[in-house]
Amino acid sequence: MPLNRRWSTDELPGSARPSWPVVLDRQHDIISHGQLRSYGHTKADLAANVEAGRWQRVLPGVYATFTGPLPRPARLAAALLYGGRHAVLSHHSAAEEWGLVPITDRPVEITVPYTSSAISQLPLVAVHRSRALRHTTLATTPPRTRGPDTIVDLAVSQETARDATLLVVDLVSRSSMSLEAVENCVSQRPPFRYRAAIRRGLGLVRNGLMSALEVEYLELVEDQHGLPRGDRQTPFAVDGKTLWEDVTYDSHGAAVTVRLDGRATHATAGVAFRDRRRDNAAELAGRARLVYGWQDVHSSPCEVAAEVRAILLREGWNPDGSRAPSCQVCRSLS
């Protein structure tokens, strides 16, 4: 795929070039110095509009044909025009466009070829460089990195390897992108940083974990406290529909369900109703169930493990031959 040239009209002949109003509309009233020249605007025209307060300089060589704050679409257009004809949205900005993360007030992140002269201009734009743009770019409007590459870029930018693993689990499990697509991305263009951590996150998703909270439960509660590893994403029929429980222990002789809820509140009435029906179905089936959130698992894993162990024993789990606890906190208190 050729590098994206959507944001430059400098080289178009006059007859093929869109009209000035069309260019402004496409670029949310943001224009580059090169485009101004190509449409016949002189340095004097530019200076007069800026000095009169009709236009404003946004970035080196990039201007807004209005004054006041820049709406988000205009900020994206300005960052891309500053980056040059091959610039694309990447990292957090691309993730926002893909719907992977919420839109926040932060610098627009773009990626440019290594030969580009663009540098970060905070607080408006943060510039990354890549030698693989030809393979990672999708010709959307505005142009951005492909979904799998965006996830990998975000993982590589995390502060720690563990953060990279948890981010991969969260984003891959709740996006519409297939696990295979992200695995292929890592295989074809292995990241230099956190490669093992990213692959570990993909492996956890393949084994059924669907969130960072589930990873924390597996590692901090089950593994460190000698509990059996439960089955992940177990299907149950409720009201003629198949719903999925996060962790179940039926294969270990105990009809116990553990739900891991990373939400502070139920966002919709439909979700709350579904969970009530799921609770009622579990009660009718005689299943024990426990519910934990991020604060429980992350801050009090020992207490969570003690509760789960008590219920597993009550419901028939035989701990003979189970793993020895490795939790240093529990050992120091024993």
Side-chain angles (χ1 to χ4, degrees), residues 237-249:
V238 178
D239 293 339
K241 297 181 179 179
T242 299
L243 300 179
W244 306 83
E245 296 288 15
D246 296 321
V247 189
T248 59
Y249 293 94

Side-chain angles (χ1 to χ4, degrees), residues 78-154:
L80 288 167
L81 282 171
Y82 167 71
R85 71 178 72 128
H86 300 318
V88 297
L89 298 178
S90 64
H91 295 76
H92 203 279
S93 297
E96 290 177 351
E97 292 296 295
W98 283 113
L100 294 170
V101 299
I103 293 175
T104 57
D105 184 16
R106 57 186 294 150
V108 177
E109 294 188 79
I110 63 172
T111 292
V112 299
Y114 258 89
T115 54
S116 171
S117 61
I119 60 174
S120 294
Q121 301 284 338
L122 300 177
L124 183 57
V125 59
V127 176
H128 305 271
R129 282 177 161 71
S130 172
R131 293 187 176 91
L133 270 182
R134 187 176 301 276
H135 307 289
T136 63
T137 299
L138 195 63
T140 53
T141 304
R144 59 183 182 259
T145 49
R146 299 183 319 132
D149 293 281
T150 300
I151 291 176
V152 174
D153 286 344
L154 274 181

Side-chain angles (χ1 to χ4, degrees), residues 56-226:
Q56 60 180 316
R57 179 182 181 274
V58 178
L59 288 164
V62 179
Y63 298 84
T65 58
F66 59 90
T67 57
L70 271 64
R72 183 173 182 274
R75 292 174 63 238
L76 299 182
L80 288 167
L81 282 171
Y82 167 71
R85 71 178 72 128
H86 300 318
V88 297
L89 298 178
S90 64
H91 295 76
H92 203 279
S93 297
E96 290 177 351
E97 292 296 295
W98 283 113
L100 294 170
V101 299
I103 293 175
T104 57
D105 184 16
R106 57 186 294 150
V108 177
E109 294 188 79
I110 63 172
T111 292
V112 299
Y114 258 89
T115 54
S116 171
S117 61
I119 60 174
S120 294
Q121 301 284 338
L122 300 177
L124 183 57
V125 59
V127 176
H128 305 271
R129 282 177 161 71
S130 172
R131 293 187 176 91
L133 270 182
R134 187 176 301 276
H135 307 289
T136 63
T137 299
L138 195 63
T140 53
T141 304
R144 59 183 182 259
T145 49
R146 299 183 319 132
D149 293 281
T150 300
I151 291 176
V152 174
D153 286 344
L154 274 181
V156 168
S157 69
Q158 297 303 297
E159 291 187 4
T160 69
R162 180 166 180 77
D163 289 341
T165 296
L166 296 181
L167 180 136
V168 166
V169 173
D170 263 345
L171 294 190
V172 174
S173 62
R174 59 186 171 86
S175 77
S176 59
M177 299 163 204
S178 69
L179 173 62
E180 289 74 16
V182 185
E183 288 176 329
N184 289 339
C185 176
V186 173
S187 175
Q188 293 168 8
R189 290 176 295 282
F192 178 75
R193 190 172 186 236
Y194 298 152
R195 186 181 306 175
I198 291 169
R199 284 177 170 160
R200 180 170 181 273
L202 295 171
L204 290 170
V205 175
R206 184 163 290 283
N207 287 333
L209 278 78
M210 302 294 287
S211 70
L213 178 55
E214 292 185 36
V215 177
E216 294 277 90
Y217 180 83
L218 170 71
E219 296 179 348
L220 301 183
V221 176
E222 289 182 341
D223 287 354
Q224 289 195 20
H225 292 87

Side-chain angles (χ1 to χ4, degrees), residues 9 19-21 43 51 63 77 87 128 135 137 165 169 223 226 236 273 277 295 300-302 308 312 317:
T9 60
S19 67
W20 176 253
K43 288 185 178 180
E51 290 173 7
Y63 298 84
H128 305 271
H135 307 289
T137 299
T165 296
V169 173
D223 287 354
F236 284 89
F273 175 77
R277 294 298 301 136
Q295 190 68 22
S300 305
C302 299
V308 173
L312 287 175
W317 171 54

Side-chain angles (χ1 to χ4, degrees), residues 9-31:
T9 60
D10 298 1
E11 300 174 2
L12 292 176
S15 59
R17 193 170 52 193
S19 67
W20 176 253
V22 169
V23 171
L24 290 179
D25 182 64
R26 286 180 180 174
Q27 298 176 182
H28 305 282
D29 296 316
I30 303 295
I31 202 77

